[in-house]
Amino acid sequence: MRKFMTTPFPFPLVQMARTFLFFYVFTVPFALLSDKSNAYAHCAIIFVLTFGFMGLETTAIELDNPFGDDENDFDNLGMAQTAFEDTYLSILDVDGPQWTDRLRLRMNPKLNRQMHNGIEMYHSERTPLVMI
């Protein structure tokens, strides 16, 4: 996986694909000049083709680096947090709160135990209070 993430996409391939894309999009109107049927239909066809191909190019640019900090990038930490919460809830259902407490303390040894109004709570300096 590391090699897949660190190997860059070949720049000449990207440039040639973009060049052919723009060449195709800008020559389609000239190809439709010989057809005299309907100007509005030609405008609609040209718009749909241009919108579709430019959208595909934008999608390819976004998929070229899916693990960055952009708004559309894959959220690794969010996915890891979801997987941890699912594991935690499964252990809670099967083994009970004693084992989930041990898991939580093992995952974050800086947690401190406190009793607050008869409810056992954990907190650390960086995470909010979590009720168990």
Side-chain angles (χ1 to χ4, degrees), residues 5-131:
M5 289 174 28
T6 58
T7 303
F9 206 69
F11 183 72
L13 183 63
V14 173
Q15 286 303 108
M16 287 306 297
R18 185 170 289 170
T19 302
F20 280 119
L21 170 74
F22 284 119
F23 180 74
Y24 177 76
V25 166
F26 290 129
T27 57
V28 167
F30 297 114
L32 295 175
L33 282 177
S34 63
D35 186 19
K36 305 273 191 230
S37 62
N38 189 354
Y40 294 113
H42 291 165
C43 290
I45 290 170
I46 292 168
F47 173 76
V48 168
L49 285 173
T50 304
F51 186 75
F53 281 115
M54 293 300 174
L56 283 175
E57 185 199 12
T58 305
T59 304
I61 289 170
E62 285 293 324
L63 290 177
D64 190 32
N65 186 12
F67 301 111
D69 294 331
D70 295 340
E71 184 177 321
N72 291 331
D73 288 339
F74 185 71
D75 184 18
N76 289 332
L77 294 177
M79 186 62 76
Q81 179 69 27
T82 302
F84 178 75
E85 289 172 359
D86 288 344
T87 304
Y88 181 80
L89 291 175
S90 297
I91 292 172
L92 180 65
D93 288 341
V94 174
D95 295 329
Q98 177 187 3
W99 290 98
T100 54
D101 293 346
R102 290 181 69 184
L103 174 66
R104 187 180 300 267
L105 288 172
R106 177 162 292 203
M107 293 302 293
N108 191 355
K110 295 180 181 179
L111 289 174
N112 296 319
R113 265 193 167 159
Q114 287 187 345
M115 292 297 289
H116 183 70
N117 294 334
I119 300 172
E120 191 172 355
M121 302 180 90
Y122 294 98
H123 75 88
S124 72
E125 298 160 0
R126 300 179 76 188
T127 59
L129 289 175
V130 178
M131 296 180 69

